[in-house]
Amino acid sequence: MPGTSIRSLASSIVPAILAAIAAIVLEAPVPAAAETQAERGYRLLLTLPLLPPTLTESEYFDLWQTWPEPQRAAAAAATPAERRRMLLARYGFQETPDREGPIPQQFTPDGKGNLAENCLSCHGGPVAGKVIRGLGNSLVDLATFYEDVAALRAQRNIATPPWPEGVPPVPESSVRGPNNAWGGAIALLLLRDRRAERTETLQFPAPTAEQMYLPTKTPAYWLSKRKTRYYADAFIGKSHRDIMQFIASFAYTGEQIRALEEPFRDIFAWIDAVEAPPYPGPVDKALAQRGRLLYLRDCVGCHGIGDSYPERVIPVAEVGTDPVRANDMPRDFKVHLGDGWFGHDGATPLYPDTGGYVAQPLDGIWATAPYLHNGSVPTMWDLLTPSERPAIWTRSDAGYDHAKLGVEATALDRLPENLTDPAERRRHYRTDQRGFGNQGHVYPPAGLTEPDKRALIEFLKTL
């Protein structure tokens, strides 16, 4: 069963938990001091289940029992604290300092022993081992997580409901870091009518297998405040309803989805309030000033600076980056999304044929490596040196390359022999796979000298 299938269907084996959503919101812990709407949104994200449960707390802490050897033996011999760290490392999860207890920030407990995935499953991640609020999770390996959940349930004879008839399967990313959230959203909306009601008939033509696999890097939330349009191709105006498409579980009625609108207004306010983290190291001010002049010459026209952001969509033919995400997302899905409840019944601006990728704001660019929309380039130096971009690479979980500005990566000539463990294979980024190409974005076309690259990188640390 594909990973996203497990995620969606696992949620349908339990009773719906939102029949009285207002009461649940009231049960969420409220701090003594008054909180802003944005603060309330972040609190709800960590305390209010937005989806039916994915698994139980005990199942999560037992997942190591499905691991291959020698990992399973190592986990069995470990202390509970060590085993908890091993779980986090295997799946790319993190505990958060903003909530007590050992539950990863990627899940919200319901107080009954169950865990529901939340937005931080993809939008919560670390840099150099430190959790950064709202950062896309470049370590997450949902494919391995869902495989292990399925294996544990098979061991325990827990049945998984069948995948809905006529809905194409949704594979998870073959590389850790990027995710296939779009494949999941397309599948869920295939069985949602314009009022967000669950249906038994497909609401638009079933996509091809290629259209159901659109691996994409998760953007940082702090970029949201600069934008009027969302996603890599900027195909729709941003709104709190639009992001709710990702919680349209097969298990929910339309009423249960619509009941979550008020919490999502608060979550949306938090998303728009997240600030980019400052670069944590020293900056050579003189070198950065040189880099600023290069940035104003070569970069500002697309990426903007400060409060000036052009939100320019660059055609695929011009930017030259991997075309899969821009070209293969079903147009019928975009129109269905925009015309229905999630698109405010057509009131949300829709741009279904952008044919390219939006040049992102570069706030906090130092923290958002690896780069490009599919996370295929490990450092800024690699991005500025197209001929040297590694075709196969691995990375450390907690290291950071301050000189090259990006993840601490090791380039490989080929995939290691006898690499049979799927989880280990996913730790090797292979740019020869569909959707994971590292080509394009050759700016400036004539290239930069090494001193100019160092200067530009130093300036980018200040954004």
Side-chain angles (χ1 to χ4, degrees), residues 160-180:
T160 299
W163 188 243
E165 185 176 352
V167 178
V170 182
E172 287 297 336
S173 173
S174 61
V175 173
R176 72 166 178 163
N179 65 71
N180 189 28

Side-chain angles (χ1 to χ4, degrees), residues 241-256:
R241 279 194 187 179
D242 170 73
I243 61 176
M244 292 179 68
Q245 64 179 294
F246 298 104
I247 57 97
S249 166
F250 290 132
Y252 279 167
T253 65
E255 181 180 6
Q256 288 169 320

Side-chain angles (χ1 to χ4, degrees), residues 49-72:
L50 302 172
L51 281 164
T54 303
L55 75 173
T56 67
E57 292 185 28
S58 63
E59 285 174 333
Y60 171 76
F61 290 111
D62 285 346
L63 286 176
W64 64 270
Q65 297 174 14
T66 70
W67 294 355
E69 296 293 1
Q71 293 95 321
R72 184 166 67 246

Side-chain angles (χ1 to χ4, degrees), residues 236-270:
I236 195 167
K238 71 176 191 179
S239 79
H240 68 278
R241 279 194 187 179
D242 170 73
I243 61 176
M244 292 179 68
Q245 64 179 294
F246 298 104
I247 57 97
S249 166
F250 290 132
Y252 279 167
T253 65
E255 181 180 6
Q256 288 169 320
I257 292 173
R258 293 189 295 272
L260 283 166
E261 183 169 15
E262 288 309 309
F264 261 91
R265 290 183 195 275
D266 297 337
I267 292 169
F268 187 68
W270 175 69

Side-chain angles (χ1 to χ4, degrees), residues 137-161:
N137 190 351
S138 65
L139 294 176
V140 72
D141 184 355
L142 293 176
T144 295
F145 171 68
Y146 297 132
E147 287 171 357
D148 289 354
V149 171
L152 185 70
R153 288 181 171 163
Q155 288 179 2
R156 299 179 176 184
N157 295 316
I158 300 174
T160 299

